Amino acid sequence: TNDNDSSERVKEQLAMLEYLMSKLKTVLWEYGPIQCSEVNLEGLEVKYNLANYGIRPGEKVPKHESLISWLCIYDVEPAIMIPEIRRIIESKWERCGLPSFLTGFVVD
């Protein structure tokens, strides 16, 4: 039953992450099937402003700066497949990771 409990826990965590993503998403406009939306990236990809969470200077804080970095480091594929999270990762790769990778490859 440990595997069932673990599987159930993962499902619950993914459901919570999807719910939180829906709360961070704001629809700017819709025109028929086309929708433009934005996602607040604080904590997802932008480092938390720790002052907003009552953390005092010098107090121990989580090692990872953002959810996206944590998901990528630990390769949490089911969470990475959530559409909004996947788009953030792909966008970051296209704008930062790929150019940096290619520059390093050419320079070496």
Side-chain angles (χ1 to χ4, degrees):
T1 62
N2 239 359
D3 287 341
N4 287 342
D5 292 342
S6 171
S7 175
E8 202 55 41
R9 181 172 160 85
V10 168
K11 287 179 185 175
E12 290 171 358
Q13 290 172 337
L14 286 173
M16 178 56 76
L17 182 56
E18 287 176 345
Y19 171 77
L20 291 172
M21 288 302 300
S22 73
K23 292 298 182 183
L24 294 172
K25 182 177 171 181
T26 303
V27 175
L28 301 175
W29 56 263
E30 290 182 79
Y31 186 75
I34 300 170
Q35 183 184 82
C36 178
S37 58
E38 66 182 6
V39 175
N40 178 354
L41 294 178
E42 185 178 357
L44 287 175
E45 186 45 38
V46 177
K47 186 176 179 178
Y48 283 113
N49 180 352
L50 298 176
N52 292 340
Y53 300 94
I55 297 174
R56 295 174 194 77
E59 198 171 330
K60 189 173 181 173
V61 295
K63 180 179 175 183
H64 303 292
E65 294 184 356
S66 72
L67 173 68
I68 299 293
S69 67
W70 188 88
L71 292 175
C72 291
I73 289 168
Y74 294 104
D75 195 24
V76 185
E77 189 172 346
I80 291 171
M81 299 310 291
I82 294 173
E84 290 83 4
I85 292 176
R86 186 174 181 90
R87 279 194 291 272
I88 292 167
I89 293 170
E90 288 173 348
S91 177
K92 185 173 183 180
W93 171 251
E94 290 169 5
R95 293 182 183 166
C96 304
L98 181 60
S100 178
F101 173 78
L102 292 176
T103 301
F105 182 73
V106 171
V107 171
D108 289 340

